């Protein structure tokens, strides 16, 4: 249901956006036929849940000493490798070795949701796969919610305040809403709030979306095709060729797609803008950091300890 309209509207109006390359993937989203998207809490692994591939083998200890308790980005990336190794679209999260009352007491909502869709998790493992979960990027703000566009304020998930770094910790949304929401109100209640906007670090990169020439035939834009494109070319693991492919296609769509005014077409136009911002920022960041993993630049580089801030106009 989140289509990034706020970020796209602000960017189109001339506001700066930042950290668009950092997309967090939740490692364990339910992958059950007929069931809608549903996150299986990381607390399930904390309670003792074990990840196994489609052959029933545990694998997390092969990727990180913390095993199932590794950070979100590590677990998502590890699951992604296992999916490719086993040519499967899911792994399983197994809690059948725990006492049934422990599961139903600690995770009543998860237990009931799965049971309503024909799966008793006290007896059968839960099929899961990573899913796009949280965008660390958004409208670039200072600590008072001010943006680079005079009189435009932002807080919550639409904003990029910088507090999440490159890989958000769970529940930091409370910080985004409670702290920055309060500060934004305090700032706007002043009679004459002093305008300063975000303060750009001298190391930060201010970038503009480059012009790209169309290459080959361009498929008709659709939500389904866009989701497939972003998952395959700008998902958990990225590289220059895939990102270039996505950026070129998105550029063509951005130039030629005219929304008809209905909600679906307006949302699609905003998603195309967000996809473009994401891929261009990911192309610029030639390293791996936090949730941004490039297999052609697998190391974290000190020279990239900076933010990429994107603007519509020079």
């Amino acid at each position: 249901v989140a289509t990034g309209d706020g970020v796209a509207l602000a960017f189109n109006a001339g506001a700066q956006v930042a950290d668009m390359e950092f997309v967090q993937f939740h490692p364990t989203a339910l992958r059950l036929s007929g069931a809608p998207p549903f996150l299986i809490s990381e607390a399930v692994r904390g309670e003792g849940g074990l990840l196994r591939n489609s052959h029933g083998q545990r694998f997390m200890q092969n990727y990180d000493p913390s095993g199932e308790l590794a950070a979100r980005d590590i677990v998502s990336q590890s699951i992604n490798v296992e999916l490719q190794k086993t040519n499967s679209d899911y792994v399983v999260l197994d809690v059948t070795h725990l006492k049934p009352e422990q599961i139903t007491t600690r995770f009543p909502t998860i237990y009931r949701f799965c049971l309503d869709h024909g799966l008793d998790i006290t007896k059968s493992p839960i099929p899961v796969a990573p899913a796009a979960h949280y965008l660390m990027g958004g409208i670039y703000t200072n600590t008072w919610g001010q943006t680079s566009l005079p009189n435009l304020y932002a807080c919550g998930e639409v904003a990029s305040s910088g507090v999440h770094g490159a890989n958000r910790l769970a529940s930091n949304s409370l910080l985004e809403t409670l702290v920055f929401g309060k500060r934004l109100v305090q700032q706007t209640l002043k009679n004459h709030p002093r305008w300063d906007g975000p303060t750009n670090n001298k190391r930060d990169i201010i970038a503009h979306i480059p012009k790209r020439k169309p290459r080959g035939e361009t498929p008709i834009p659709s939500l389904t095709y866009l989701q497939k494109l972003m998952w395959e070319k700008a998902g958990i693991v990225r590289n220059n060729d895939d990102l270039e492919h996505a950026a070129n296609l998105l550029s063509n769509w951005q130039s030629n797609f005219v929304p008809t005014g209905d909600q679906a077409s307006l949302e699609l136009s905003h998603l195309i803008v967000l996809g473009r911002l994401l891929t261009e920022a990911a192309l610029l960041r030639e390293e791996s950091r936090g949730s941004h993993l490039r297999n052609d630049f697998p190391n974290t580089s000190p020279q990239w300890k900076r933010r990429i801030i994107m603007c519509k106009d020079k």
Side-chain angles (χ1 to χ4, degrees), residues 100-144:
E101 58 269 23
Q102 181 180 356
I103 299 171
T104 57
T105 302
R106 290 283 288 115
F107 310 109
T109 303
I110 294 173
Y111 171 74
R112 176 54 57 187
F113 185 91
C114 291
L115 195 63
D116 288 345
H117 290 86
L119 179 67
D120 185 346
I121 65 174
T122 65
K123 299 177 181 178
S124 302
I126 311 167
V128 295
H133 180 46
Y134 192 93
L135 175 66
M136 272 70 82
I139 308 168
Y140 186 35
T141 69
N142 65 8
T143 57
W144 291 98

Side-chain angles (χ1 to χ4, degrees), residues 156-169:
E157 294 195 18
V158 74
S160 179
S161 59
V163 297
H164 298 307
N167 195 23
R168 164 185 174 262
L169 295 174

Side-chain angles (χ1 to χ4, degrees), residues 45 49 58 60-71 74-75:
R45 301 200 312 279
R58 286 186 64 192
M60 274 309 305
Q61 64 275 16
N62 300 330
Y63 299 97
D64 191 278
S66 298
E68 279 81 2
L69 301 182
I74 300 297
V75 179

